[in-house]
Amino acid sequence: MINKMTRELLKDELDFAYERIFESLDEFEVLVPSAVSTDYHYAAVENRDWTDGFWTGMLHLANEYRNSAKIQMVISKQLTVFQKRLDHEIVLNHHDLGFLYSPSAVAEYRTNFDQDAKQMAIQAAEVLMRRYQPQAKIIQAWGELSDPDQQGRMIIDCNMNLPLLFFSSQVTGNLAYYQAAKNHLKRAQKFLVRHDGSTYHTFYMDTKTGAPRFGRTAQGYSDESCWARGQSWAIYGFALGYRYLKDASLLETAKVVADYFISKCPADFVCYWDLSFGTDSSEERDTSAAAVAASGLLELAQQLPVTDPKKSQYENFALEIIRSLAQNYTTRGIAGSNGILTQGVYSKPENNGVDECTTWGDYFYFEALLRSYQSWLSYW
Ligand code: GLY
């Protein structure tokens, strides 16, 4: 139950995020914000990265919060660019079709019943399906399918790409999308989630025999550590998997990974960039992982029956994350910033985007705020 004080905080934050987005409409009408900021300022770049759906996602959220003809006009222009990107397959040789086309095309279809947007989402699902490995029963994350360094590699982030396949299956009746997403999710549940509820960032499967090989990190501290954002993708992705498949074991897995995440958060609820640092470290936080976890915990709580005591525990933890981000981690007062959350981390091992605004952190923060404040039709 959200009290009056929390509602006021949510409204203040929604207003702040809305203003930030509104101020950027001219700059990001056809171009998009860079994946991460430099000194808390996003550059305007062409739509080529895995992160570019978060801008249209924020436009959709903003429009749901406060309808605006100008925002809808920018969404339409952005969707034209998304269609071109798909038609010309511009930097789509990876699995992030869901991150790109759920908060753009699916969002447009779900909010406006736009039939062209529906077709775009299905076209994107077709491109994603090319990465499905039938023996290993997984979608390969990165690289050419023949590349020995990437062959058979699945990553926990992919849980968020699967809703595009479930959506496409629902609207076309094509069960191949559904089966591929289901198989991948079950493999992720079995091999990416460790016995203690932590997760590997990535895991290799043998594409000829389907046998499991080994776990390896890409953005985490070490192969056996637990990359914080990966854990957040796990919470959200398994909860979404349950929403589509109604397989009770997925709900259990979402709870197990959520409990692990919660147990590793410091006193102010905003995790360090790797959960192996424990609760008291001088390492950087990753506000983007915290924002993804907040919305993921809200999704998980939504799937749980009222009789489950964890339902309110997850809701309350999500609200504590939001409160902490609002109080200590926004760009309010930072001159020249066009981002929303400070102290995100893209990839610490590569020293890329450390202590910056991130487009996905801003998006999931806004999403968590909106779904706590009013009813929201998910884009996932
Ligand atoms: N999906 C890539 C990342 O979370 O950085």
Side-chain angles (χ1 to χ4, degrees):
M1 187 67 182
I2 293 180
N3 62 28
K4 193 160 165 257
M5 220 169 77
T6 306
R7 268 195 82 72
E8 276 167 18
L9 177 133
L10 292 172
K11 185 173 180 314
D12 280 353
E13 288 307 291
L14 283 164
D15 288 344
F16 167 65
Y18 187 89
E19 270 163 41
R20 275 279 194 261
I21 290 160
F22 211 86
E23 283 161 8
S24 298
L25 288 179
D26 292 333
E27 194 178 5
F28 305 133
E29 193 179 277
V30 177
L31 299 176
V32 289
S34 46
V36 291
S37 64
T38 302
D39 296 333
Y40 290 150
H41 187 90
Y42 293 117
V45 296
E46 284 188 8
N47 186 329
R48 298 170 65 86
D49 215 329
W50 71 274
T51 51
D52 299 331
F54 298 122
W55 173 239
T56 37
M58 286 205 285
L59 295 174
H60 278 290
L61 293 170
N63 221 16
E64 290 202 52
Y65 180 55
R66 209 175 287 153
N67 192 265
S68 146
K70 181 160 182 186
I71 293 178
Q72 190 56 51
M73 182 272 286
V74 177
I75 290 174
S76 301
K77 290 201 170 180
Q78 288 286 343
L79 287 173
T80 307
V81 181
F82 270 96
Q83 183 65 59
K84 265 196 205 130
R85 182 169 176 181
L86 199 48
D87 291 342
H88 298 280
E89 297 202 14
I90 299 169
V91 200
L92 292 181
N93 197 18
H94 55 68
H95 69 151
D96 284 328
L97 277 297
F99 276 123
L100 285 167
Y101 287 89
S102 292
S104 54
V106 175
E108 179 66 11
Y109 175 69
R110 288 212 174 126
T111 51
N112 286 329
F113 305 107
D114 181 319
Q115 296 303 313
D116 291 339
K118 180 173 93 176
Q119 285 310 321
M120 197 190 322
I122 298 164
Q123 193 181 334
E126 271 300 314
V127 176
L128 181 55
M129 282 294 283
R130 287 190 220 144
R131 304 189 70 76
Y132 182 66
Q133 302 291 297
Q135 288 304 323
K137 295 190 164 67
I138 58 112
I139 293 165
Q140 182 177 317
W142 299 317
E144 295 295 330
L145 299 181
S146 57
D147 177 353
D149 287 340
Q150 299 296 343
Q151 206 168 52
R153 190 179 200 179
M154 65 171 156
I155 80 171
I156 192 66
D157 322 28
C158 191
N159 280 17
M160 299 298 291
N161 288 320
L162 303 177
L164 178 71
L165 297 180
F166 289 126
F167 167 83
S168 299
S169 185
Q170 281 177 344
V171 295
T172 60
N174 183 345
L175 288 179
Y177 303 132
Y178 173 93
Q179 201 56 52
K182 181 179 169 186
N183 288 349
H184 181 101
L185 202 54
K186 295 302 283 181
R187 289 295 202 217
Q189 180 184 35
K190 189 159 177 186
F191 298 114
L192 282 166
V193 181
R194 302 187 188 103
H195 291 300
D196 63 356
S198 66
T199 48
Y200 285 110
H201 182 191
T202 89
F203 196 94
Y204 285 86
M205 307 290 296
D206 189 311
T207 52
K208 291 202 177 66
T209 65
R213 293 178 68 207
F214 52 87
R216 176 134 304 163
T217 199
Q219 283 155 265
Y221 178 70
S222 71
D223 291 342
E224 293 307 318
S225 75
C226 180
W227 178 49
R229 196 159 62 255
Q231 195 74 10
S232 308
W233 296 137
I235 299 169
Y236 206 158
F238 284 117
L240 288 171
Y242 173 75
R243 193 217 285 163
Y244 283 102
L245 292 172
K246 294 289 177 271
D247 168 345
S249 77
L250 292 171
L251 198 56
E252 266 321 297
T253 299
K255 288 163 90 171
V256 166
V257 293
D259 292 344
Y260 185 89
F261 179 88
I262 289 170
S263 75
K264 300 293 177 189
C265 280
D268 80 347
F269 306 97
V270 177
C271 55
Y272 298 101
W273 66 271
D274 193 291
L275 299 182
S276 65
F277 301 135
T279 56
D280 182 17
S281 167
S282 55
E283 287 285 338
E284 289 86 1
R285 313 284 173 138
D286 178 10
T287 55
S288 76
V292 172
S295 202
L297 288 169
L298 293 170
E299 179 68 38
L300 174 54
Q302 201 176 316
Q303 303 305 324
L304 292 174
V306 280
T307 49
D308 191 323
K310 293 216 157 168
K311 188 178 176 78
S312 58
Q313 187 201 332
Y314 295 145
E315 261 164 13
N316 291 338
F317 202 88
L319 287 173
E320 293 296 357
I321 294 175
I322 291 172
R323 192 170 292 122
S324 185
L325 291 174
Q327 284 165 354
N328 296 310
Y329 297 93
T330 72
T331 57
R332 269 198 180 85
I334 298 181
S337 180
N338 56 0
I340 296 171
L341 285 183
T342 61
Q343 299 187 47
V345 172
Y346 190 177
S347 181
K348 180 79 192 282
E350 292 156 298
N351 199 23
N352 179 5
V354 178
D355 187 6
E356 288 293 346
C357 305
T358 67
T359 43
W360 59 92
D362 289 356
Y363 169 82
F364 283 101
Y365 182 54
F366 197 14
E367 186 191 279
L369 291 167
L370 191 77
R371 71 190 298 171
S372 305
Y373 188 74
Q374 65 188 51
S375 66
W376 174 64
L377 213 56
S378 174
Y379 312 149
W380 304 103

